[in-house]
Amino acid sequence: MSLRIYNTLTRQKEPFVPVESGKVKMYTCGPTVYKPAHIGHMVGPVIFDTVRRYLEYLGYEVIWVLNITDVDDKLIARAREENTTVRELAERHTLDYLECLRALQVQGIRFMPRATEHIPDMIRIIEGLIARGHAYVADGDVYFDVTSDPDYGKLCHRDPEQMAAGARIEVSEKKRHPGDFALWKSAKPGEPSWESPWGLGRPGWHIECSAMSMRYLGETLDIHGGGLDLQFPHHENELAQSECFTGKPFVRYWMHNGLLKFGQTKMAGSLGNVVNVHDLLQRYPGETLRFFLLSTHYRSPIEFSEERLEALHKSLGAFYRFFERYQRITGKSFYDVSAPTRYQELALVNGSFAKEIQQLRQRFLQEMDDDFNTQGAIGVLFGLLTALNRFADEHHLEDAAHREAAPLARFEQAVVVLRELTQILGLFLSPLAVSVSARDRLVSDLVQILLDVRNECRKQKQFALADMIRSRLTELGIVVEDRPGGTTWRWQQ
RNA sequence: GGCCCCUUAGCCAAGCGGCCUAAGGCAGCGGUUUGCAAAACCGCCAUUCCCGGGUUCGAAUCCCGGAGGGGCCUCCA
């Protein structure tokens, strides 16, 4: 196996080799916490969480840093509107963000630094940049001098001179070159501010990522991730100031995820076409949302639509039904199946079934190796599901009286592979939250009574009556299923 | 104006020069199973990859041109 990652810097897939063998330093840009998280904010976290899971599966130790921007123009404006402090506003939305991450099974973020907690680090870098002639002070502001960096523009293929021709860059009297960007902004009255060698002020946007990545991960990162919209100017600027400061390569692999679209255009707070994660979680399990975000290659744009979510939610049902089947067969919960979390050679009992499972696993890993092709991997998962169901059918595994021990053992081994692979994608980690309120319990008791009556009818060949009970239940969204081992029911998806 | 990217069946979506007479899912249609269903399983569902040229023994995949769509150049995941 050999992992290849598409690197924005070189625009091609490259074999993945971290700086330090066995260790991966990964930094991703988190949100500016001035509004509740929308579904577009979840794309990066879900993808990089999956990247992290796969890297760990391959045996790496992954140190993942995701920052929180808790001071900027939007936060200041918003806090004023809501008549609260920047700090309170940021805190509230950080909590919201974290809740959403949890719902989508995004785990393993080692450090989550906040910009306001790293002002001294930023000041140190700015001072260094001034000393090295890459930045200049202008009336309490400090700007990065893009003309001082011959490499400036290498990430996005931009030439400062050409950009100067573009009329959309903010014109400022203080800047020497239109492409120069603020490292430090002098404070206006009433704004949050910090002491600095250039007077009271606050940091520019890009400097925080340079400072925090350096603080937690050192001068060279293995992976730097973020949305495509951050490529320019944010990452370009981050790259320039970091390399000018350290004189070392800043990032080995730049990864950019595609943007979430709403209709034809991207979903963005500034466009007002956002769908909050919180609202969405009222209607769909976090698992469905995660599955949705993994159902397209991470570099492609993905269009949000309820129809799509609905279709995916349905397709996920095949897995849940299988887990129930597994439970019927073995008496055990799929969620308790333990599988290797690290790659190792698979030793299955010989036979065509074992061989098929082996091949499917191989294909899954190949898809993941190919720049994290999650959609390709999901396709394989469906194939695995079919193989498992077919095997259970052929060997009558649900019929306890007639099944044999050997096939059952082979089946269980294969289920371990399903567990191994699905956990790499962060799927099916825990049972879907089911309400266990007293009312729900009453519903299930009542349904059970009706099913008992219906089965009595069936015994007496009163099929019309039996069918009536079933169809009336179906109308209520309760699906009745007769099986060799007895009758079961579930909620229609 | 500059810099990127996308276009595959009714819909979503893999594919990265030969295993493609193109994965997988949703929808649809047959069949096995079932008292009838549901579920599961089996099978069908793009001779074709936006259009036109070219390179190559060979292209959905590479190059050129055209049409349509998107992102960035201002805050944005």
Side-chain angles (χ1 to χ4, degrees):
Chain A
M1 292 193 305
S2 57
L3 174 63
R4 287 155 54 80
I5 296 182
Y6 181 87
N7 190 347
T8 307
L9 191 62
T10 58
R11 313 244 164 218
Q12 57 189 18
K13 286 182 199 169
E14 300 171 349
F16 178 69
V17 183
V19 178
E20 203 178 317
S21 78
K23 212 173 199 178
V24 178
K25 297 166 186 169
M26 181 164 89
Y27 184 93
T28 60
C29 290
T32 301
V33 283
Y34 74 111
K35 271 183 177 178
H38 68 256
I39 182 71
H41 286 130
M42 297 293 111
V43 180
V46 166
I47 276 139
F48 291 107
D49 173 61
T50 306
V51 166
R52 186 216 103 223
R53 287 174 191 274
Y54 191 57
L55 288 170
E56 285 178 351
Y57 178 78
L58 295 181
Y60 293 105
E61 181 197 355
V62 181
I63 306 170
W64 181 14
V65 178
L66 184 148
N67 72 299
I68 299 287
T69 301
D70 61 350
V71 60
D72 93 317
D73 293 343
K74 289 193 297 294
L75 273 152
I76 293 167
R78 187 84 181 187
R80 205 163 278 160
E81 278 170 35
E82 292 189 18
N83 201 19
T84 182
T85 62
V86 167
R87 196 190 187 85
E88 188 281 328
L89 185 75
E91 204 48 46
R92 176 155 36 100
H93 291 128
T94 299
L95 250 39
D96 170 74
Y97 182 74
L98 292 177
E99 255 177 61
C100 296
L101 293 188
R102 197 173 317 123
L104 301 212
Q105 298 283 14
V106 173
Q107 300 159 353
I109 297 171
R110 186 81 67 89
F111 300 103
M112 196 178 277
R114 289 156 170 86
T116 55
E117 292 167 0
H118 296 78
I119 305 285
D121 285 337
M122 300 183 213
I123 291 174
R124 187 175 62 87
I125 294 172
I126 296 170
E127 284 181 313
L129 286 169
I130 295 171
R132 289 168 180 69
H134 289 295
Y136 55 92
V137 183
D139 191 22
D141 291 352
V142 183
Y143 293 97
F144 183 87
D145 176 5
V146 294
T147 61
S148 74
D149 177 13
D151 280 344
Y152 187 82
K154 71 177 172 182
L155 181 64
C156 306
H157 305 112
R158 273 169 222 248
D159 171 7
E161 294 316 311
Q162 280 179 354
M163 289 195 323
R168 295 178 67 189
I169 297 174
E170 180 194 343
V171 187
S172 165
E173 292 300 307
K174 297 180 189 173
K175 290 185 189 175
R176 292 183 193 162
H177 185 282
D180 291 353
F181 55 91
L183 296 168
W184 187 262
K185 299 176 179 182
S186 59
K188 298 190 190 88
E191 289 180 354
S193 59
W194 288 263
E195 286 288 351
S196 83
W198 319 285
L200 235 44
R202 61 192 167 91
W205 175 33
H206 318 297
I207 194 69
E208 64 174 87
C209 289
S210 294
M212 295 190 283
S213 62
M214 218 175 287
R215 159 71 57 190
Y216 296 95
L217 299 171
E219 297 181 335
T220 300
L221 317 176
D222 293 305
I223 295 175
H224 187 130
L228 212 53
D229 53 349
L230 295 183
Q231 224 175 81
F232 195 91
H234 188 234
H235 291 160
E236 190 73 62
N237 292 170
E238 220 184 304
L239 171 63
Q241 71 201 180
S242 295
E243 295 195 345
C244 284
F245 178 72
T246 66
K248 293 181 184 150
F250 178 45
V251 170
R252 287 172 77 92
Y253 303 89
W254 283 96
M255 292 178 68
H256 288 97
N257 60 268
L259 303 178
L260 191 94
K261 298 198 306 172
F262 190 88
Q264 282 293 30
T265 53
K266 74 162 176 169
M267 186 179 285
S270 54
L271 298 175
N273 60 350
V274 299
V275 179
N276 286 164
V277 181
H278 242 106
D279 299 343
L280 225 39
L281 284 170
Q282 300 293 110
R283 282 173 295 148
Y284 299 95
E287 187 146 88
T288 302
L289 302 184
R290 182 177 179 106
F291 190 64
F292 162 65
L293 297 176
L294 293 176
S295 71
T296 301
H297 184 90
Y298 79 86
R299 280 188 278 120
S300 305
I302 179 167
E303 189 174 328
F304 175 84
S305 81
E306 298 267 345
E307 297 72 43
R308 175 109 187 260
L309 234 35
E310 215 45 69
L312 289 166
H313 185 61
K314 265 183 159 164
S315 73
L316 233 24
F319 287 94
Y320 302 134
R321 272 176 248 122
F322 176 77
F323 300 155
E324 284 165 15
R325 186 176 200 188
Y326 176 77
Q327 175 104 255
R328 271 183 257 122
I329 292 172
T330 65
K332 291 179 278 192
S333 165
F334 175 79
Y335 298 100
D336 294 334
V337 172
S338 80
T341 53
R342 291 281 162 94
Y343 172 78
Q344 51 188 252
E345 289 295 328
L346 187 61
L348 290 180
V349 179
N350 290 336
S352 62
F353 178 58
K355 197 172 167 193
E356 185 183 7
I357 299 298
Q358 198 98 258
Q359 282 170 349
L360 287 165
R361 189 176 94 125
Q362 200 53 41
R363 271 179 54 203
F364 180 97
L365 298 178
Q366 276 167 8
E367 297 291 2
M368 290 303 284
D369 267 348
D370 184 12
D371 195 31
F372 310 99
N373 187 351
T374 53
Q375 168 58 24
I378 285 169
V380 178
L381 247 28
F382 278 97
L384 186 56
L385 196 63
T386 301
L388 249 13
N389 270 318
R390 190 197 303 128
F391 188 82
D393 282 356
E394 283 169 0
H395 294 272
H396 313 289
L397 295 186
E398 281 193 68
D399 189 351
H402 296 93
R403 72 179 175 212
E404 294 166 38
L408 183 62
R410 285 198 280 159
F411 176 73
E412 292 210 51
Q413 275 195 317
V415 171
V416 169
V417 174
L418 180 66
R419 185 7 110 213
E420 176 185 6
L421 268 27
T422 52
Q423 73 194 5
I424 290 174
L425 296 182
L427 255 19
F428 316 127
L429 263 23
S430 56
L432 284 185
V434 285
S435 174
V436 289
S437 69
R439 241 179 82 189
D440 281 1
R441 197 159 303 150
L442 179 63
V443 167
S444 69
D445 287 348
L446 291 173
V447 170
Q448 196 52 54
I449 291 171
L450 286 166
L451 294 187
D452 288 346
V453 170
R454 176 169 169 275
N455 276 328
E456 198 50 46
C457 292
R458 290 172 71 213
K459 262 188 211 159
Q460 297 175 16
K461 307 259 182 230
Q462 304 217 30
F463 293 122
L465 204 54
D467 287 352
M468 189 191 87
I469 291 172
R470 184 175 59 199
S471 66
R472 292 293 297 275
L473 285 171
T474 305
E475 282 168 28
L476 297 177
I478 291 167
V479 182
V480 174
E481 300 176 322
D482 295 326
R483 304 176 181 285
T487 302
T488 60
W489 71 275
R490 62 181 167 82
W491 290 103
Q492 178 81 50
Q493 282 195 309

